[in-house]
Amino acid sequence: RNLSKKYQPKKNSKEEEEYRYTSTRAFLATLNEMNDYAGQHEVISENMTSLITGELTRYVQELKQERKSHFHDGRKAQQHIETCWKQLEASKRRFERDCKEADRAQQYFEKMDADINVTKADVEKARQQAQLRHQMAEDSKAEYSSTLQKFNSEQHDHYYTHIPNIFQKIQEMEERRIVRIGESMKTFAEVDRQVIPIIGKCLDEITKAAESTDHKNDSQLVIEAFKSGFEPPGDIDFEDFTQPMKRTVSESSLSNSRGDGKSEPKFGSKSKGKLWPFIKKNKLMSLLTSPHQPPPPPPASASPSAVPNGPQSPKQQKEPLSHRFNEFMTSKPKIHCFRSLKRGGAGPEDFSNLPPEQRRKKLQQKVDELNKDIQKEIDQRDALTKMKDVYIKNPQMGDAASVDHRLAELGQNIEKLRIEVQKFEGWLAEVEGRLPMRTDQARRQSGLYEAQNTSAVNSCAQDRESPDGSYTEEQSQETEMKVPATDFDDEFDDEEPLPTIGTCKALYTFEGQNEGTISVAEGEMLYVIEEDKGDGWTRIRRNEDEEGYVPTSYVEVYLDKNAKGA
């Protein structure tokens, strides 16, 4: 139940848009059925608590008391038989002692009677003493016999009556306990069996929801939501290098910006701009944006005049293919520029930075919103007009001139909104005129398409090649680049930035002019996100959007020993 509540869609959130897909609707239905499933488990828990747990708890207390009573009776019977045995032993010892004393008295009498020197009185006294002792022995014998008979009877009753009865009661108690356990198990099964039909229905609904998913429909929804309307580029023209004076550069060539530094960027910028979503930022950015030459040595002094302008691009007649590929893959736009736009940057009013299809949807949405605003203003104007008529007919209810100012304001607002609608409708008509018909599957020629859409796609940064063979960025295009955030961007842009592993202080001013480097001022404190790996460069970050490499000799690093990767 907690999981079902946790993953329910939030009200008025972005997640609600995702529930138009069959897969997410099926997931929501599964959550609801799981909530009902949990309700049936609660029914089982309540019934088990009332019918089984509570009853067994009371029954166990009763059994404990009964068992305690039986053990008490057993100990009492055992103590009684032990007492009888002690009495028998005492009687037996007394009888034995009296018999010995009677024998000694008889022997003393016979000795006195045989002695001629003893007086008759002493003999008579000895005879009486012997008779007394014999009488005492006879009494002890009778008592011992009676005690022995009594003990034998008690012992017989103990082992054949009392103890068997106690064990029989304990056995019956245990048998009742076992029967009660069986009944509780049966009750548990019955409690479960009562909810099985409802649980089965929940599972059937989950299965039905799973079978209701339609991958084709979901794919079509995604296509309709995010399709750009771009046409594939045309064929690349053949460039005849045998006639250098008459050579022309193809507009669709990927290297069209290398020949003329002032030529308009065509498809090359679009190609590079489209590559960025498929690059894992944290995994490849370190490799691809690391400077390709050794860092400069630190300046001899800290004065600004002694600080070099930064590492110079190496002079190469022919750069390796891998280096060209890295420069191609890491060219602007970078991922962090999209993140900064999503935080608050606004695109052009005519949405010219969007692909044609997305632009058409945005313009249509804007036209609909403006029409709603116009209708709202018209309704207010009509209501005020009726109020003014009432005031004119009944002056005592109010001053008719008091609403004239508000009516004038509403009229101006309506006129402004209508002008806005006309403006957006013009842009919408322009876009719809460019887009192919819905039923027409024929593609237009790439050249015509590019001629019409140069201004719409000319917002990404375009690389320029310097005369010495290195690549530099055109600053004006980089600052003007504004690309809206889409869900597709988020898919690749939500990766967490590299964690900081320490701080550093800039010892000298460094002007980072190459790709992947960052400019720092002397004395500036920055964050370290990657140590020097032997190439002489340290990766630092100024804020969430600015990071790059600086020469290790230009900074003093203070690593955090507790940081991961330090």
Side-chain angles (χ1 to χ4, degrees):
R1 174 155 294 186
N2 290 336
L3 288 174
S4 176
K5 291 180 180 179
K6 179 179 178 181
Y7 290 99
Q8 287 288 340
K10 304 296 187 298
K11 295 296 183 182
N12 300 323
S13 69
K14 184 179 178 182
E15 293 181 2
E16 289 186 343
E17 299 179 2
E18 299 178 359
Y19 283 88
R20 55 182 175 169
Y21 303 115
T22 59
S23 57
T24 48
R25 287 203 302 267
F27 177 72
L28 180 59
T30 301
L31 285 181
N32 295 333
E33 293 301 328
M34 288 302 297
N35 188 57
D36 296 340
Y37 198 121
Q40 298 309 309
H41 280 203
E42 288 182 350
V43 171
I44 294 175
S45 175
E46 293 172 358
N47 291 336
M48 286 182 63
T49 301
S50 60
L51 301 178
I52 299 178
T53 307
E55 293 295 329
L56 284 183
T57 301
R58 289 191 293 270
Y59 187 65
V60 166
Q61 295 298 327
E62 295 174 1
L63 288 181
K64 286 182 178 180
Q65 294 296 329
E66 185 177 353
R67 181 175 179 273
K68 184 177 180 180
S69 175
H70 293 327
F71 274 79
H72 178 72
D73 293 343
R75 286 192 295 270
K76 187 176 180 181
Q78 189 68 28
Q79 291 173 358
H80 178 69
I81 195 65
E82 289 176 357
T83 302
C84 291
W85 170 255
K86 290 178 181 179
Q87 292 176 355
L88 176 62
E89 285 292 319
S91 178
K92 179 180 178 181
R93 287 195 298 269
R94 187 166 51 251
F95 172 56
E96 181 181 6
R97 184 180 68 250
D98 290 345
C99 287
K100 289 181 179 180
E101 291 179 354
D103 289 340
R104 284 196 299 268
Q106 183 66 28
Q107 291 175 2
Y108 180 75
F109 167 69
E110 291 177 354
K111 181 180 178 182
M112 294 293 290
D113 189 36
D115 190 357
I116 58 176
N117 296 324
V118 178
T119 62
K120 187 176 181 178
D122 292 335
V123 173
E124 184 63 25
K125 184 178 178 180
R127 185 180 64 77
Q128 290 179 356
Q129 187 67 25
Q131 289 178 352
L132 178 61
R133 292 297 179 184
H134 277 291
Q135 185 61 40
M136 291 177 63
E138 288 296 330
D139 293 342
S140 297
K141 181 180 180 181
E143 182 184 357
Y144 171 63
S145 176
S146 174
T147 304
L148 179 62
Q149 290 178 1
K150 181 180 178 183
F151 174 77
N152 288 334
S153 176
E154 290 289 344
Q155 181 175 256
H156 184 276
D157 291 342
H158 177 79
Y159 286 105
Y160 289 94
T161 304
H162 298 308
I163 295 300
N165 287 340
I166 292 174
F167 278 118
Q168 182 64 31
K169 290 178 181 179
I170 293 176
Q171 178 181 343
E172 292 175 354
M173 180 189 69
E174 286 296 308
E175 289 175 353
R176 292 198 310 272
R177 181 185 65 83
I178 294 171
V179 170
R180 190 62 174 269
I181 289 176
E183 292 176 352
S184 299
M185 293 179 178
K186 185 178 180 181
T187 303
F188 167 70
E190 291 298 328
V191 168
D192 263 2
R193 185 175 287 110
Q194 291 175 1
V195 300
I196 282 177
I198 303 177
I199 290 179
K201 186 177 180 181
C202 292
L203 297 177
D204 291 341
E205 291 297 325
I206 292 175
T207 303
K208 183 179 178 181
E211 293 173 350
S212 67
T213 57
D214 186 354
H215 56 282
K216 295 293 185 182
N217 181 67
D218 288 355
S219 299
Q220 194 61 35
L221 289 175
V222 174
I223 292 171
E224 289 296 329
F226 297 106
K227 64 182 179 181
S228 66
F230 282 132
E231 287 290 327
D235 295 336
I236 298 177
D237 297 334
F238 175 76
E239 300 181 16
D240 191 356
F241 289 94
T242 59
Q243 300 177 4
M245 298 302 295
K246 298 180 180 180
R247 182 176 61 195
T248 58
V249 179
S250 171
E251 290 184 351
S252 59
S253 173
L254 291 174
S255 59
N256 63 333
S257 62
R258 298 179 59 182
D260 184 5
K262 297 182 180 180
S263 61
E264 287 294 325
K266 298 291 183 178
F267 185 73
S269 62
K270 292 188 291 181
S271 299
K272 295 183 181 181
K274 291 180 180 179
L275 288 174
W276 70 266
F278 303 101
I279 302 175
K280 293 291 185 180
K281 179 182 178 183
N282 288 344
K283 294 181 179 179
L284 292 183
M285 199 57 67
S286 174
L287 175 64
L288 298 181
T289 62
S290 178
H292 300 285
Q293 59 277 333
S301 65
S303 62
S305 60
V307 177
N309 290 331
Q312 300 298 323
S313 300
K315 305 292 183 178
Q316 298 182 11
Q317 296 299 326
K318 182 178 287 187
E319 294 185 353
L321 180 60
S322 60
H323 177 64
R324 290 291 184 180
F325 179 74
N326 288 342
E327 293 290 346
F328 178 78
M329 293 293 285
T330 59
S331 61
K332 297 288 191 297
K334 289 186 178 179
I335 297 177
H336 59 74
C337 67
F338 290 91
R339 185 185 295 116
S340 63
L341 283 174
K342 283 185 281 185
R343 288 201 179 93
E349 186 182 14
D350 61 351
F351 305 107
S352 59
N353 57 326
L354 295 178
E357 181 65 23
Q358 299 296 323
R359 184 187 180 195
R360 184 191 66 80
K361 291 182 179 180
K362 286 288 186 180
L363 290 173
Q364 185 64 54
Q365 181 181 354
K366 187 69 175 179
V367 169
D368 294 341
E369 292 176 357
L370 290 173
N371 285 330
K372 289 181 181 178
D373 293 341
I374 290 175
Q375 186 61 42
K376 189 184 300 183
E377 297 288 332
I378 290 175
D379 293 341
Q380 292 184 17
R381 185 184 64 182
D382 293 344
L384 286 176
T385 302
K386 292 180 180 179
M387 183 184 299
K388 182 179 180 180
D389 294 340
V390 172
Y391 288 168
I392 293 174
K393 294 178 181 178
N394 301 294
Q396 68 275 11
M397 297 183 65
D399 184 9
S402 62
V403 297
D404 290 340
H405 179 68
R406 178 58 181 162
L407 284 173
E409 287 184 357
L410 290 175
Q412 294 176 0
N413 292 341
I414 293 173
E415 188 63 27
K416 290 179 181 178
L417 289 173
R418 284 175 176 169
I419 293 174
E420 286 289 315
V421 169
Q422 292 177 1
K423 179 173 64 175
F424 280 96
E425 284 179 345
W427 287 331
L428 181 61
E430 178 186 359
V431 174
E432 290 179 342
R434 292 178 182 179
L435 289 176
M437 297 299 291
R438 300 294 178 185
T439 58
D440 183 12
Q441 299 298 329
R443 297 178 178 177
R444 294 172 299 165
Q445 293 298 323
S446 176
L448 177 60
Y449 169 76
E450 289 184 357
Q452 293 176 340
N453 289 276
T454 300
S455 61
V457 300
N458 193 19
S459 58
C460 294
Q462 172 66 25
D463 291 346
R464 297 294 184 184
E465 185 179 6
S466 60
D468 61 352
S470 62
Y471 285 89
T472 58
E473 300 292 338
E474 186 174 338
Q475 185 65 25
S476 62
Q477 291 180 356
E478 181 180 340
T479 56
E480 291 175 1
M481 183 189 64
K482 297 179 179 178
V483 181
T486 64
D487 293 340
F488 183 74
D489 299 338
D490 294 338
E491 217 173 296
F492 297 90
D493 195 31
D494 287 341
E495 295 188 19
E496 292 295 329
L498 290 174
T500 59
I501 60 174
T503 58
C504 68
K505 179 181 179 181
L507 302 177
Y508 317 101
T509 299
F510 173 70
E511 298 293 338
Q513 296 181 348
N514 284 40
E515 177 67 25
T517 61
I518 184 173
S519 300
V520 296
E522 180 181 352
E524 185 177 3
M525 296 297 297
L526 305 109
Y527 296 101
V528 179
I529 59 177
E530 187 178 306
E531 287 187 86
D532 185 355
K533 297 185 177 180
D535 56 358
W537 295 91
T538 299
R539 192 175 181 184
I540 63 172
R541 177 185 295 141
R542 176 174 287 110
N543 51 47
E544 194 170 351
D545 295 332
E546 294 186 70
E547 61 181 48
Y549 288 87
V550 297
T552 304
S553 58
Y554 276 58
V555 294
E556 184 177 358
V557 178
Y558 311 98
L559 292 180
D560 184 1
K561 296 182 179 180
N562 298 325
K564 183 178 180 182

